[in-house]
Amino acid sequence: MSVYNANVTTRILDPVFDRKNFRSEFRLNRDSVYLSNMRLIQMGMVDTSNSPPTATAFNPVIGAFCIKSIQLFDGNQLLDQMLEASLYRAFKTFNTSHDENLSIDSWVGKTNLTFAATGNQSIAANTAKVDDITIKGLFQSNNLTSGDAEFAVDKEKTSWLSLKGFLGFLTSSLYVPTDVFKNVRLVIQWKSPTELKDLLVDQTLTYATLEGCALVVDELNPSDARDAVMRNYEGVVYRAVEHDMVTVPAITGLGANESRAQENSFLINGFNGKQVERLLAIQSPTDQATWVAAGELLGAGNQASTAQRLSTFQFRVNGSNKLPRDGYTRKNQRLAGLTDSYGECTLVPTSNFVYVPSVEPILSDGSAGTVNDSQNIQGLMGQFDYTCCELRESVTELVVQYSRTGVAGNAGLTQSLRLNLFAEVNKAVSVDKSSKGYVVQYL
């Protein structure tokens, strides 16, 4: 049964503080009850180099998302947060079915991780000709300016975002009663102009976030049902997604035509004393020359997870390996583990591999042969090598063992990496119904 009836009023809240490229803050009224399906509207970026703005495409896995972090507070008490939000947003685009990316997210989020195969397979000399098939981006570019084109998605510069996908507290709690949480504050940290360049294709322009982003909430009207919610609310158990990061050193000193294995062991302290469920590892590049060419972003840039040659993962929790034998040693092995844990993903063929020569000819480089052409998906090769491990236990000591092989002359395979780790940890809010006080704790 729908909750949308005479007992619910939808409100659009303006921020109490709003400054582009810095921060916006929203606040809820006291002594009421809000549904947890909060969403942001009118979020986006604009080109400040030209007036009027010129057309430029968004990063295909980010769209018009320009958030650095999200925090949900009650006064100064942190209820939940999402750090490195754009990396997690890119993963969520990847961890979405192709149909949903095509039918929903490309419209409301302005992402563009959709593609289609065209052409007919042919046989010559008893050999299949793969170059008769072309896989290309299904939509034309999501631009910062308005315009219509065949098969083009809406090119408005703003997007819509459900906060439930980023804050486990909102996912698990149907209601947010503000007689318990008396000073609810939603704080959005925006990307800086330098950071925004990672989210748009044209690297020669200067960008800024838009002021005027609004929060849409559903509030229960005064009624017996609202009073019952306020009277009976006992708290919530939820999974917060927390972040930690380590730096993988660059591989240096290689001679001509030399390759060398690098083995690393990282002690991760950010999740100690917490019950960790799923752990996601993202390999983020640090050398801009590996994701920018001719003033344009290559594929997803530094927002996805770059593939490395012969990379392996093993996770040791409290002295024991979580994966059998040598751990994850092959890319499709990791992809299988990822889909087992997180479900369906949208993967451009072979884009979890460093390079597959036999596949490159069937991946479109765009009708104009330029990176900015939306039909170009060659730039996505080697950018979706995510890794997941299900820990399912309380962590006293977590060690990530990571190895890769660098190749001389290939900056993408020798550069320093940021190994970003996102862990689902169990938390709870326990409410004392008589005093309306509460405690936030890890389980």
Side-chain angles (χ1 to χ4, degrees), residues 35 57 84 103 109 118 176 216 276 280 300 304 308 346 367 376 387 402 407 414 438:
L35 299 181
E84 297 293 343
S103 305
T118 62
V176 181
V216 180
V276 177
L280 174 69
Q308 296 293 292
T346 299
S367 58
N376 170 27
T387 302
Y402 173 74
V407 178
T414 58
Y438 66 89

Side-chain angles (χ1 to χ4, degrees), residues 16-332:
V16 297
F17 178 88
D18 189 21
R19 181 174 298 173
K20 64 182 180 182
N21 301 326
F22 179 45
R23 180 167 62 90
S24 296
E25 181 175 325
F26 303 88
R27 298 187 181 182
L28 303 185
N29 294 326
R30 285 190 179 192
D31 298 320
S32 187
V33 175
Y34 294 85
L35 299 181
S36 60
N37 58 343
M38 302 177 189
R39 50 269 191 210
L40 293 174
I41 59 173
Q42 299 300 314
M43 174 180 63
M45 301 160 275
V46 65
D47 158 30
T48 61
S49 303
N50 300 286
S51 182
T54 57
T56 184
F58 295 124
N59 185 313
V61 296
I62 298 295
F65 185 96
C66 49
I67 297 174
K68 186 172 184 177
S69 66
I70 307 170
Q71 284 93 22
L72 184 66
F73 292 95
D74 177 24
N76 291 325
Q77 171 65 59
L78 179 65
L79 299 176
D80 203 355
Q81 68 177 342
M82 172 60 67
L83 303 177
E84 297 293 343
S86 65
L87 293 180
Y88 199 71
R89 165 61 165 145
F91 171 71
K92 288 185 69 65
T93 302
F94 171 75
N95 185 214
T96 300
S97 69
H98 186 267
D99 179 67
E100 189 171 338
N101 275 329
L102 172 64
S103 305
I104 301 175
D105 212 42
S106 59
W107 298 89
V108 301
K110 305 301 186 289
T111 59
N112 197 21
L113 191 61
T114 58
F115 50 92
T118 62
N120 297 308
Q121 183 74 65
S122 62
I123 304 294
N126 296 320
T127 301
K129 297 178 64 178
V130 297
D131 56 353
D132 287 342
I133 301 293
T134 300
I135 301 176
K136 60 177 63 177
L138 191 57
F139 280 129
Q140 298 189 17
S141 299
N142 294 309
N143 294 331
L144 288 179
T145 57
S146 300
D148 296 317
E150 186 178 6
F151 302 121
V153 297
D154 181 12
K155 294 182 179 180
E156 295 299 327
K157 56 184 174 291
T158 60
S159 66
W160 175 99
L161 177 73
S162 171
L163 293 171
K164 273 194 169 187
F166 293 83
L167 299 176
F169 176 87
L170 296 181
T171 302
S172 299
S173 182
L174 178 59
Y175 303 104
V176 181
T178 54
D179 66 324
V180 176
F181 309 107
K182 297 180 173 60
N183 298 287
V184 176
R185 301 188 297 123
L186 178 69
V187 178
I188 306 295
Q189 299 285 347
W190 303 110
K191 295 270 190 178
S192 68
T194 300
E195 294 167 327
L196 288 176
K197 288 196 172 186
D198 297 331
L199 313 184
L200 294 128
V201 170
D202 194 331
Q203 300 292 291
T204 65
L205 302 176
T206 301
Y207 303 102
T209 61
L210 291 171
E211 294 181 341
C213 179
L215 177 67
V216 180
V217 295
D218 294 322
E219 183 178 5
L220 297 188
N221 296 324
S223 63
D224 292 342
R226 190 186 80 165
D227 293 342
V229 171
M230 298 170 73
R231 184 171 57 250
N232 298 321
Y233 187 79
E234 296 181 343
V236 61
V237 176
Y238 59 102
R239 288 183 182 175
V241 178
E242 299 194 355
H243 173 264
D244 202 353
M245 186 272 291
V246 292
T247 300
V248 180
I251 302 175
T252 59
L254 295 177
N257 302 318
E258 181 186 358
S259 63
R260 182 194 305 157
Q262 180 195 63
E263 296 185 356
N264 305 277
S265 183
F266 301 107
L267 178 64
I268 310 299
N269 295 315
F271 312 127
N272 289 352
K274 303 170 184 177
Q275 174 79 20
V276 177
E277 302 298 328
R278 297 182 296 189
L279 180 67
L280 174 69
I282 299 176
Q283 303 164 99
S284 301
T286 61
D287 184 356
Q288 189 182 52
T290 64
W291 73 80
V292 173
E296 292 184 331
L297 195 74
L298 291 173
N302 62 347
Q303 297 299 301
S305 185
T306 184
Q308 296 293 292
R309 185 169 183 262
L310 303 178
S311 56
T312 69
F313 279 90
Q314 178 62 274
F315 301 88
R316 291 182 61 83
V317 180
N318 306 335
S320 300
N321 290 342
K322 294 302 294 184
L323 301 173
R325 297 183 292 277
D326 296 327
Y328 285 137
T329 59
R330 297 183 299 277
K331 289 178 169 43
N332 281 343

Side-chain angles (χ1 to χ4, degrees), residues 130 133 135 349-351 356-364 378 381:
V130 297
I133 301 293
I135 301 176
T350 72
S351 61
V356 182
S358 61
V359 174
E360 184 181 30
I362 70 173
L363 299 180
S364 172
Q378 278 189 11
M381 288 189 69

Side-chain angles (χ1 to χ4, degrees), residues 7-18:
N7 292 324
V8 177
T9 298
T10 298
R11 304 189 187 280
I12 300 178
L13 304 182
D14 292 325
V16 297
F17 178 88
D18 189 21

